[in-house]
Amino acid sequence: RILRDGLADAPNDAQLMTLLARAYQREGRPELMADMLARAVEVSQQAPDESLRYATYLAQQGESGAAETVLIDALRRRPDSFDLLALLAQVHLVMQDWPRAEQDIAAIRQRFDTDKARALADELQARLLQGQGRSDALSDFLGELAQQSQGDLAPRIAVIRNTVRGGRLPQALEEAQTLVADYPDAPDAGLLLAQIQLASGETAAALAGMQALVQAHPDFEPGWSALYAQQIRTGDVAAATATPDAAIVALPDNGRLQVMRAGAYERAGDIEGAIAIYETLYAKNSDDLIVANNLASLLASTRTDEASLERAWTVARRLNGVKVPAFQDTYGWLAFRRGETATALGALEPAAKGLPGLPGFGGAALPPGLSGFGKKK
């Protein structure tokens, strides 16, 4: 109400409109949120921040054409905006509009003489070639980058990943082993080798490599995440429970590891411990939709009191309109629990299509560390 009153006094204040859009999102009113974002773009005269915010929302909703229009209008006013052009290129890649994507990449190279711009242009070029199915051209392009890298790991890693995509696992394994030999202290190289070993069926070697990796580089979060995921796959519950605790000792403020820890607690049957973690994370950043989803799901699926159900609904409302099947599942289940059948069906039907093999929709096992699936419907 305070924001609405403020907007009545200052009807052309784009910042107030943005804040009100966030408030509408929290209330689960996506149509009003989208309207506020669009109005903020208009009153700001297509300012970069407002345009990026609205275009990002549209792109996330699958409305690539509308996002493209917003970005092009904004770029006419601010052709020097790197962020606008970068997002436009990504939208064109999603649309598979290859000629326009090529124009965007060329414009990034021409307008912005920075390492960041060059790195993005190279990444977009690789994605474009991959999207077009031009495997040989992609291999040549990545090889040129690797030769020009002067010690930079990223191009060499990209080359090896492309080898994996081509199904040439023995070659990729040799390339990764060479990379580790050249860069023995680079955790990215060690993790890549372990991932290729997994793909090649060398599970024991991969697991040993991941364990050695996190011991040598305890501040490398991807290493902990990969180790945990592999322990889940192999069914080593004790190790999978201990790994998040060890990871958080090294990286106590890392939100991804906290979510991983909550997943381990949930899997071990400590539901209240998992809820406590999600409540702490939610208090720190209530805009994190994964945390909101998992918290609401656990509250609704493990507690029966009305206070917990209302708390779950308050948290889950912001999931309304987000086209992610797991989020639709959580929101729909809560709407059903509240007796709002029509609302529930509107969310659960697309969730069922997006999650056909999960419990409640077919009975497959749950992905590790993600609540919100398989509630008792």
Side-chain angles (χ1 to χ4, degrees), residues 118-143:
R118 283 187 286 272
L120 178 64
D122 290 340
E123 177 190 341
L124 294 172
Q125 184 68 33
R127 288 172 55 187
L128 184 146
L129 294 172
Q130 182 181 352
Q132 292 176 315
R134 298 166 59 188
S135 301
D136 291 341
L138 177 58
S139 296
D140 292 342
F141 175 69
L142 293 176

PDB file of all heavy atoms in Angstrom, residues 118-143:
ATOM      1  N   ARG A 118      35.386  -9.399 -25.290  1.00  0.00           N
ATOM      2  CA  ARG A 118      35.969 -10.408 -26.180  1.00  0.00           C
ATOM      3  C   ARG A 118      35.620 -11.814 -25.702  1.00  0.00           C
ATOM      4  O   ARG A 118      35.303 -12.703 -26.508  1.00  0.00           O
ATOM      5  CB  ARG A 118      37.483 -10.221 -26.261  1.00  0.00           C
ATOM      6  CG  ARG A 118      37.899  -9.056 -27.162  1.00  0.00           C
ATOM      7  CD  ARG A 118      39.404  -9.011 -27.336  1.00  0.00           C
ATOM      8  NE  ARG A 118      40.063  -8.525 -26.122  1.00  0.00           N
ATOM      9  CZ  ARG A 118      40.283  -7.244 -25.857  1.00  0.00           C
ATOM     10  NH1 ARG A 118      39.902  -6.315 -26.710  1.00  0.00           N
ATOM     11  NH2 ARG A 118      40.900  -6.876 -24.749  1.00  0.00           N
ATOM     12  N   ALA A 119      35.682 -12.027 -24.389  1.00  0.00           N
ATOM     13  CA  ALA A 119      35.346 -13.349 -23.853  1.00  0.00           C
ATOM     14  C   ALA A 119      33.885 -13.693 -24.130  1.00  0.00           C
ATOM     15  O   ALA A 119      33.557 -14.831 -24.509  1.00  0.00           O
ATOM     16  CB  ALA A 119      35.626 -13.382 -22.354  1.00  0.00           C
ATOM     17  N   LEU A 120      32.996 -12.722 -23.956  1.00  0.00           N
ATOM     18  CA  LEU A 120      31.584 -12.980 -24.223  1.00  0.00           C
ATOM     19  C   LEU A 120      31.355 -13.256 -25.706  1.00  0.00           C
ATOM     20  O   LEU A 120      30.609 -14.174 -26.071  1.00  0.00           O
ATOM     21  CB  LEU A 120      30.726 -11.804 -23.774  1.00  0.00           C
ATOM     22  CG  LEU A 120      29.228 -11.956 -24.067  1.00  0.00           C
ATOM     23  CD1 LEU A 120      28.649 -13.125 -23.286  1.00  0.00           C
ATOM     24  CD2 LEU A 120      28.471 -10.676 -23.776  1.00  0.00           C
ATOM     25  N   ALA A 121      31.971 -12.465 -26.564  1.00  0.00           N
ATOM     26  CA  ALA A 121      31.799 -12.672 -28.004  1.00  0.00           C
ATOM     27  C   ALA A 121      32.278 -14.063 -28.409  1.00  0.00           C
ATOM     28  O   ALA A 121      31.632 -14.740 -29.228  1.00  0.00           O
ATOM     29  CB  ALA A 121      32.547 -11.596 -28.782  1.00  0.00           C
ATOM     30  N   ASP A 122      33.394 -14.508 -27.839  1.00  0.00           N
ATOM     31  CA  ASP A 122      33.894 -15.850 -28.149  1.00  0.00           C
ATOM     32  C   ASP A 122      32.915 -16.918 -27.671  1.00  0.00           C
ATOM     33  O   ASP A 122      32.640 -17.900 -28.375  1.00  0.00           O
ATOM     34  CB  ASP A 122      35.257 -16.072 -27.491  1.00  0.00           C
ATOM     35  CG  ASP A 122      36.360 -15.247 -28.134  1.00  0.00           C
ATOM     36  OD1 ASP A 122      36.181 -14.801 -29.288  1.00  0.00           O
ATOM     37  OD2 ASP A 122      37.395 -15.027 -27.472  1.00  0.00           O
ATOM     38  N   GLU A 123      32.380 -16.724 -26.466  1.00  0.00           N
ATOM     39  CA  GLU A 123      31.418 -17.694 -25.939  1.00  0.00           C
ATOM     40  C   GLU A 123      30.164 -17.749 -26.810  1.00  0.00           C
ATOM     41  O   GLU A 123      29.665 -18.837 -27.136  1.00  0.00           O
ATOM     42  CB  GLU A 123      31.034 -17.307 -24.505  1.00  0.00           C
ATOM     43  CG  GLU A 123      29.974 -18.217 -23.901  1.00  0.00           C
ATOM     44  CD  GLU A 123      29.428 -17.702 -22.585  1.00  0.00           C
ATOM     45  OE1 GLU A 123      30.098 -16.850 -21.944  1.00  0.00           O
ATOM     46  OE2 GLU A 123      28.335 -18.126 -22.196  1.00  0.00           O
ATOM     47  N   LEU A 124      29.662 -16.584 -27.197  1.00  0.00           N
ATOM     48  CA  LEU A 124      28.461 -16.535 -28.028  1.00  0.00           C
ATOM     49  C   LEU A 124      28.711 -17.155 -29.403  1.00  0.00           C
ATOM     50  O   LEU A 124      27.849 -17.834 -29.965  1.00  0.00           O
ATOM     51  CB  LEU A 124      27.983 -15.089 -28.175  1.00  0.00           C
ATOM     52  CG  LEU A 124      27.480 -14.412 -26.889  1.00  0.00           C
ATOM     53  CD1 LEU A 124      27.226 -12.939 -27.136  1.00  0.00           C
ATOM     54  CD2 LEU A 124      26.224 -15.089 -26.370  1.00  0.00           C
ATOM     55  N   GLN A 125      29.899 -16.907 -29.951  1.00  0.00           N
ATOM     56  CA  GLN A 125      30.242 -17.494 -31.246  1.00  0.00           C
ATOM     57  C   GLN A 125      30.254 -19.017 -31.170  1.00  0.00           C
ATOM     58  O   GLN A 125      29.759 -19.707 -32.064  1.00  0.00           O
ATOM     59  CB  GLN A 125      31.600 -16.975 -31.714  1.00  0.00           C
ATOM     60  CG  GLN A 125      32.005 -17.452 -33.098  1.00  0.00           C
ATOM     61  CD  GLN A 125      31.139 -16.860 -34.199  1.00  0.00           C
ATOM     62  OE1 GLN A 125      30.687 -15.723 -34.080  1.00  0.00           O
ATOM     63  NE2 GLN A 125      30.911 -17.619 -35.256  1.00  0.00           N
ATOM     64  N   ALA A 126      30.820 -19.538 -30.083  1.00  0.00           N
ATOM     65  CA  ALA A 126      30.843 -20.986 -29.907  1.00  0.00           C
ATOM     66  C   ALA A 126      29.426 -21.541 -29.774  1.00  0.00           C
ATOM     67  O   ALA A 126      29.092 -22.578 -30.365  1.00  0.00           O
ATOM     68  CB  ALA A 126      31.669 -21.344 -28.678  1.00  0.00           C
ATOM     69  N   ARG A 127      28.581 -20.847 -29.030  1.00  0.00           N
ATOM     70  CA  ARG A 127      27.193 -21.291 -28.878  1.00  0.00           C
ATOM     71  C   ARG A 127      26.447 -21.233 -30.214  1.00  0.00           C
ATOM     72  O   ARG A 127      25.620 -22.097 -30.510  1.00  0.00           O
ATOM     73  CB  ARG A 127      26.481 -20.437 -27.829  1.00  0.00           C
ATOM     74  CG  ARG A 127      26.929 -20.723 -26.404  1.00  0.00           C
ATOM     75  CD  ARG A 127      26.334 -19.727 -25.423  1.00  0.00           C
ATOM     76  NE  ARG A 127      24.882 -19.671 -25.517  1.00  0.00           N
ATOM     77  CZ  ARG A 127      24.153 -18.774 -24.852  1.00  0.00           C
ATOM     78  NH1 ARG A 127      24.746 -17.867 -24.087  1.00  0.00           N
ATOM     79  NH2 ARG A 127      22.839 -18.777 -24.970  1.00  0.00           N
ATOM     80  N   LEU A 128      26.739 -20.220 -31.004  1.00  0.00           N
ATOM     81  CA  LEU A 128      26.091 -20.096 -32.311  1.00  0.00           C
ATOM     82  C   LEU A 128      26.473 -21.275 -33.210  1.00  0.00           C
ATOM     83  O   LEU A 128      25.619 -21.899 -33.835  1.00  0.00           O
ATOM     84  CB  LEU A 128      26.479 -18.770 -32.952  1.00  0.00           C
ATOM     85  CG  LEU A 128      25.818 -18.430 -34.304  1.00  0.00           C
ATOM     86  CD1 LEU A 128      25.589 -16.923 -34.416  1.00  0.00           C
ATOM     87  CD2 LEU A 128      26.678 -18.888 -35.470  1.00  0.00           C
ATOM     88  N   LEU A 129      27.770 -21.574 -33.293  1.00  0.00           N
ATOM     89  CA  LEU A 129      28.225 -22.688 -34.135  1.00  0.00           C
ATOM     90  C   LEU A 129      27.651 -24.013 -33.647  1.00  0.00           C
ATOM     91  O   LEU A 129      27.263 -24.864 -34.451  1.00  0.00           O
ATOM     92  CB  LEU A 129      29.752 -22.736 -34.146  1.00  0.00           C
ATOM     93  CG  LEU A 129      30.452 -21.542 -34.827  1.00  0.00           C
ATOM     94  CD1 LEU A 129      31.952 -21.601 -34.594  1.00  0.00           C
ATOM     95  CD2 LEU A 129      30.137 -21.515 -36.322  1.00  0.00           C
ATOM     96  N   GLN A 130      27.598 -24.177 -32.326  1.00  0.00           N
ATOM     97  CA  GLN A 130      27.020 -25.402 -31.778  1.00  0.00           C
ATOM     98  C   GLN A 130      25.535 -25.490 -32.120  1.00  0.00           C
ATOM     99  O   GLN A 130      25.035 -26.552 -32.499  1.00  0.00           O
ATOM    100  CB  GLN A 130      27.207 -25.432 -30.259  1.00  0.00           C
ATOM    101  CG  GLN A 130      26.678 -26.700 -29.606  1.00  0.00           C
ATOM    102  CD  GLN A 130      26.856 -26.690 -28.103  1.00  0.00           C
ATOM    103  OE1 GLN A 130      27.496 -25.808 -27.537  1.00  0.00           O
ATOM    104  NE2 GLN A 130      26.284 -27.666 -27.420  1.00  0.00           N
ATOM    105  N   GLY A 131      24.820 -24.376 -31.972  1.00  0.00           N
ATOM    106  CA  GLY A 131      23.399 -24.359 -32.285  1.00  0.00           C
ATOM    107  C   GLY A 131      23.123 -24.661 -33.741  1.00  0.00           C
ATOM    108  O   GLY A 131      22.101 -25.280 -34.081  1.00  0.00           O
ATOM    109  N   GLN A 132      24.012 -24.227 -34.618  1.00  0.00           N
ATOM    110  CA  GLN A 132      23.851 -24.499 -36.045  1.00  0.00           C
ATOM    111  C   GLN A 132      24.266 -25.917 -36.427  1.00  0.00           C
ATOM    112  O   GLN A 132      24.073 -26.323 -37.568  1.00  0.00           O
ATOM    113  CB  GLN A 132      24.691 -23.503 -36.859  1.00  0.00           C
ATOM    114  CG  GLN A 132      24.175 -22.062 -36.787  1.00  0.00           C
ATOM    115  CD  GLN A 132      25.095 -21.107 -37.521  1.00  0.00           C
ATOM    116  OE1 GLN A 132      26.320 -21.158 -37.380  1.00  0.00           O
ATOM    117  NE2 GLN A 132      24.512 -20.214 -38.318  1.00  0.00           N
ATOM    118  N   GLY A 133      24.859 -26.640 -35.484  1.00  0.00           N
ATOM    119  CA  GLY A 133      25.310 -27.988 -35.778  1.00  0.00           C
ATOM    120  C   GLY A 133      26.579 -28.050 -36.600  1.00  0.00           C
ATOM    121  O   GLY A 133      26.854 -29.080 -37.239  1.00  0.00           O
ATOM    122  N   ARG A 134      27.348 -26.975 -36.572  1.00  0.00           N
ATOM    123  CA  ARG A 134      28.576 -26.917 -37.375  1.00  0.00           C
ATOM    124  C   ARG A 134      29.758 -27.390 -36.523  1.00  0.00           C
ATOM    125  O   ARG A 134      30.579 -26.617 -36.047  1.00  0.00           O
ATOM    126  CB  ARG A 134      28.786 -25.494 -37.878  1.00  0.00           C
ATOM    127  CG  ARG A 134      27.663 -25.012 -38.798  1.00  0.00           C
ATOM    128  CD  ARG A 134      27.705 -23.521 -39.023  1.00  0.00           C
ATOM    129  NE  ARG A 134      28.970 -23.080 -39.619  1.00  0.00           N
ATOM    130  CZ  ARG A 134      29.310 -21.805 -39.765  1.00  0.00           C
ATOM    131  NH1 ARG A 134      28.470 -20.846 -39.363  1.00  0.00           N
ATOM    132  NH2 ARG A 134      30.463 -21.493 -40.304  1.00  0.00           N
ATOM    133  N   SER A 135      29.816 -28.696 -36.316  1.00  0.00           N
ATOM    134  CA  SER A 135      30.800 -29.271 -35.406  1.00  0.00           C
ATOM    135  C   SER A 135      32.230 -29.003 -35.842  1.00  0.00           C
ATOM    136  O   SER A 135      33.098 -28.670 -35.015  1.00  0.00           O
ATOM    137  CB  SER A 135      30.572 -30.780 -35.270  1.00  0.00           C
ATOM    138  OG  SER A 135      29.284 -31.049 -34.793  1.00  0.00           O
ATOM    139  N   ASP A 136      32.514 -29.144 -37.129  1.00  0.00           N
ATOM    140  CA  ASP A 136      33.877 -28.932 -37.607  1.00  0.00           C
ATOM    141  C   ASP A 136      34.287 -27.474 -37.436  1.00  0.00           C
ATOM    142  O   ASP A 136      35.420 -27.181 -37.003  1.00  0.00           O
ATOM    143  CB  ASP A 136      33.986 -29.337 -39.080  1.00  0.00           C
ATOM    144  CG  ASP A 136      33.844 -30.832 -39.283  1.00  0.00           C
ATOM    145  OD1 ASP A 136      34.016 -31.572 -38.294  1.00  0.00           O
ATOM    146  OD2 ASP A 136      33.555 -31.252 -40.419  1.00  0.00           O
ATOM    147  N   ALA A 137      33.382 -26.560 -37.769  1.00  0.00           N
ATOM    148  CA  ALA A 137      33.686 -25.141 -37.609  1.00  0.00           C
ATOM    149  C   ALA A 137      33.891 -24.798 -36.138  1.00  0.00           C
ATOM    150  O   ALA A 137      34.766 -23.993 -35.786  1.00  0.00           O
ATOM    151  CB  ALA A 137      32.563 -24.286 -38.200  1.00  0.00           C
ATOM    152  N   LEU A 138      33.108 -25.409 -35.266  1.00  0.00           N
ATOM    153  CA  LEU A 138      33.259 -25.171 -33.833  1.00  0.00           C
ATOM    154  C   LEU A 138      34.606 -25.686 -33.342  1.00  0.00           C
ATOM    155  O   LEU A 138      35.294 -25.009 -32.572  1.00  0.00           O
ATOM    156  CB  LEU A 138      32.118 -25.851 -33.076  1.00  0.00           C
ATOM    157  CG  LEU A 138      32.165 -25.747 -31.548  1.00  0.00           C
ATOM    158  CD1 LEU A 138      32.175 -24.296 -31.095  1.00  0.00           C
ATOM    159  CD2 LEU A 138      30.984 -26.490 -30.924  1.00  0.00           C
ATOM    160  N   SER A 139      34.993 -26.856 -33.797  1.00  0.00           N
ATOM    161  CA  SER A 139      36.296 -27.403 -33.397  1.00  0.00           C
ATOM    162  C   SER A 139      37.434 -26.493 -33.844  1.00  0.00           C
ATOM    163  O   SER A 139      38.374 -26.233 -33.083  1.00  0.00           O
ATOM    164  CB  SER A 139      36.484 -28.803 -33.984  1.00  0.00           C
ATOM    165  OG  SER A 139      35.535 -29.702 -33.465  1.00  0.00           O
ATOM    166  N   ASP A 140      37.356 -26.014 -35.078  1.00  0.00           N
ATOM    167  CA  ASP A 140      38.394 -25.114 -35.584  1.00  0.00           C
ATOM    168  C   ASP A 140      38.435 -23.821 -34.777  1.00  0.00           C
ATOM    169  O   ASP A 140      39.517 -23.327 -34.425  1.00  0.00           O
ATOM    170  CB  ASP A 140      38.140 -24.795 -37.059  1.00  0.00           C
ATOM    171  CG  ASP A 140      38.339 -25.999 -37.961  1.00  0.00           C
ATOM    172  OD1 ASP A 140      38.986 -26.966 -37.512  1.00  0.00           O
ATOM    173  OD2 ASP A 140      37.842 -25.972 -39.106  1.00  0.00           O
ATOM    174  N   PHE A 141      37.262 -23.275 -34.482  1.00  0.00           N
ATOM    175  CA  PHE A 141      37.188 -22.012 -33.739  1.00  0.00           C
ATOM    176  C   PHE A 141      37.772 -22.172 -32.339  1.00  0.00           C
ATOM    177  O   PHE A 141      38.587 -21.352 -31.892  1.00  0.00           O
ATOM    178  CB  PHE A 141      35.727 -21.552 -33.654  1.00  0.00           C
ATOM    179  CG  PHE A 141      35.516 -20.322 -32.815  1.00  0.00           C
ATOM    180  CD1 PHE A 141      35.972 -19.087 -33.235  1.00  0.00           C
ATOM    181  CD2 PHE A 141      34.858 -20.399 -31.597  1.00  0.00           C
ATOM    182  CE1 PHE A 141      35.790 -17.945 -32.462  1.00  0.00           C
ATOM    183  CE2 PHE A 141      34.665 -19.274 -30.818  1.00  0.00           C
ATOM    184  CZ  PHE A 141      35.139 -18.042 -31.254  1.00  0.00           C
ATOM    185  N   LEU A 142      37.384 -23.243 -31.650  1.00  0.00           N
ATOM    186  CA  LEU A 142      37.904 -23.460 -30.298  1.00  0.00           C
ATOM    187  C   LEU A 142      39.399 -23.740 -30.326  1.00  0.00           C
ATOM    188  O   LEU A 142      40.139 -23.319 -29.425  1.00  0.00           O
ATOM    189  CB  LEU A 142      37.155 -24.622 -29.645  1.00  0.00           C
ATOM    190  CG  LEU A 142      35.669 -24.381 -29.354  1.00  0.00           C
ATOM    191  CD1 LEU A 142      35.025 -25.654 -28.799  1.00  0.00           C
ATOM    192  CD2 LEU A 142      35.479 -23.225 -28.375  1.00  0.00           C
ATOM    193  N   GLY A 143      39.856 -24.446 -31.356  1.00  0.00           N
ATOM    194  CA  GLY A 143      41.286 -24.699 -31.469  1.00  0.00           C
ATOM    195  C   GLY A 143      42.081 -23.429 -31.649  1.00  0.00           C
ATOM    196  O   GLY A 143      43.160 -23.258 -31.063  1.00  0.00           O
TER     197      GLY A 143
END
